Amino acid sequence: MTLAKNGSPSPGSPGTTRAAAVIGTLCVLAAAWLLLITTRDELAEGHDFRAAATCAPNDQGDDCLRTAPARIDRTRVVSGRKTPMYWLYVTEVDGPSTRTRIDGGPQEPPRARKGAHVEVTYWRGQIRFVDFGTTRRYTNADPRDDYRFVSASGLGLAFYGTLALWGSYWMSWRSWTSLRAYPWQAALPAGGGLALTLLGMAAPFVTDGIGPALRLVALGTIVVLLLSLALAPLLRRRQAGDDTVTLTPCPPLKEKVFPGRVMGGTPYADSGGGFLVAGPAYLASTPDPTGSAYRREIPHTLTPVRVRPPYRTDPAGRPDHGGRALVLECEDNGEDVLVVTHRKHIPMILGALQHPRPEAR
């Protein structure tokens, strides 16, 4: 068919390839900064806080834990958050007034009552925890777990950037191996890369320390590689040879409207409306999601040729339907036509096209 020759830029086009390379490089650089510099600093600060000793009397140094008695002036709930948090306003005895943020609500135990006496502990100029009698609540300035978010971001960006760089390489040098828009050679590394990206983002939060997080990521990487090596031969055999998809026509018993496009140079090809109407013995394209207006009925001269997966050389605007699209190649008096929709609707379209239809409606 000649229609696919005049298509949109394929996934291997220079613009897409350069964009993937730039995104991948930026992600890897950002990951290196977060993992090698920012995470190290956060870990060092958390270690210093754990090792800090109580300040000696009259010692106002920042590197020791200075505890001061205080009175609660008021509380204010932080709005617009899924997880509850509140500001605690306190005034030290014979000292300044200040505030700090604490996770939870002021009514949760230990209750933060106005006028109640508490003890606030400073480290390096910030309140790190508050003692409500016998109960201690750490504030949002607690640095012990600050490395988690930073390292999770770094690990996620590292894997995502590597995936983007692989995509750039594959589109530049390997995309010729298949016409498919979603070949296994690209889909398998993409699936593994996304799985490792999610694992990298989760690892620091489900482990106790950066060392265990890195070991978990390393183990996950080995598992993903082994699974990929096991799946590659199966996917290669599955996509080898003729990629024609065999489906049984299912003539529609009543009219149904669904997303899809008719693409080609014929008068009834849609101009981006994006909906198809299938009914007993007829098929039409329309921009109306209800299917009642601006129909372009497809004539009986349209002949189905075969059903296939989407190609990267298909025309611009071909819908993907979440990666579940199929393409029905057709001919109409020598003109090439593509009908693209979700795979579950293709049998209905085949039924509508193959069902005997009158010459005119």
Side-chain angles (χ1 to χ4, degrees), residues 3-346:
L3 179 63
K5 296 179 181 178
N6 300 319
S8 62
S10 71
S13 64
T16 306
T17 302
R18 284 194 296 267
V22 170
I23 292 173
T25 301
L26 292 177
C27 287
V28 169
L29 291 176
W33 177 271
L34 289 172
L35 293 174
L36 300 179
I37 297 178
T38 309
T39 297
R40 182 188 61 186
D41 293 343
E42 297 292 353
L43 286 170
E45 186 175 28
H47 178 268
D48 292 345
F49 176 67
R50 289 185 176 90
T54 303
C55 292
N58 300 321
D59 186 353
Q60 300 297 317
D62 281 344
D63 285 330
C64 59
L65 302 177
R66 182 178 66 84
T67 301
R71 182 187 71 254
I72 298 177
D73 294 330
R74 62 187 177 93
T75 60
R76 179 171 64 84
V77 175
V78 179
S79 59
R81 292 181 54 88
K82 293 183 179 180
T83 56
M85 180 185 298
Y86 69 96
W87 285 103
L88 179 70
Y89 294 81
V90 298
T91 298
E92 295 182 27
V93 177
D94 299 327
S97 297
T98 186
R99 68 175 186 173
T100 188
R101 284 186 302 173
I102 299 178
D103 289 332
Q107 303 303 320
E108 298 177 9
R111 184 178 177 185
R113 300 187 305 271
K114 179 180 179 179
H117 292 278
V118 295
E119 289 186 338
V120 294
T121 298
Y122 292 84
W123 184 71
R124 293 183 179 175
Q126 297 186 62
I127 298 176
R128 307 295 176 160
F129 55 85
V130 180
D131 289 311
F132 296 82
T134 59
T135 304
R136 174 169 294 178
R137 293 292 300 275
Y138 283 88
T139 71
N140 288 91
D142 176 13
R144 294 175 300 171
D145 293 332
D146 286 351
Y147 79 92
R148 295 184 188 271
F149 178 78
V150 177
S151 58
S153 301
L155 289 170
L157 286 173
F159 283 115
Y160 187 80
T162 302
L163 177 60
L165 290 175
W166 162 257
S168 175
Y169 162 77
W170 190 87
M171 288 185 289
S172 298
W173 303 103
R174 304 295 299 174
S175 60
W176 57 267
T177 58
S178 176
L179 279 176
R180 290 174 178 251
Y182 311 107
W184 72 267
Q185 297 96 328
L188 186 60
L194 289 177
L196 290 176
T197 298
L198 295 176
L199 176 63
M201 295 174 64
F205 293 99
V206 299
T207 55
D208 185 17
I210 190 64
L214 294 177
R215 287 192 290 272
L216 176 61
V217 169
L219 177 62
T221 302
I222 294 173
V223 171
V224 168
L225 289 175
L226 292 177
L227 287 176
S228 298
L229 291 175
L231 288 174
L234 299 176
L235 296 174
R236 184 186 298 113
R237 286 195 298 267
R238 183 177 179 182
Q239 292 192 8
D242 185 13
D243 59 4
T244 298
V245 180
T246 303
L247 296 173
T248 302
C250 181
L253 301 178
K254 61 180 180 179
E255 183 174 284
K256 185 173 182 181
V257 184
F258 47 88
R261 290 197 62 183
V262 178
M263 311 183 76
T266 59
Y268 52 83
D270 73 79
S271 57
F275 292 93
L276 298 175
V277 183
Y282 67 92
L283 181 69
S285 63
T286 175
D288 181 10
T290 67
S292 59
Y294 305 107
R295 290 193 183 192
R296 296 176 179 177
E297 189 159 344
I298 296 173
H300 72 283
T301 53
L302 185 70
T303 303
V305 176
R306 70 170 184 140
V307 180
R308 62 164 173 83
Y311 286 167
R312 53 188 173 84
T313 52
D314 286 336
R318 173 186 51 75
D320 287 332
H321 297 287
R324 303 291 291 174
L326 283 179
V327 178
L328 174 60
E329 292 183 354
C330 304
E331 289 184 352
D332 187 352
N333 293 323
E335 184 73 30
D336 298 322
V337 180
L338 300 181
V339 182
V340 188
T341 187
H342 194 286
R343 62 176 61 241
K344 66 182 180 181
H345 300 308
I346 293 291

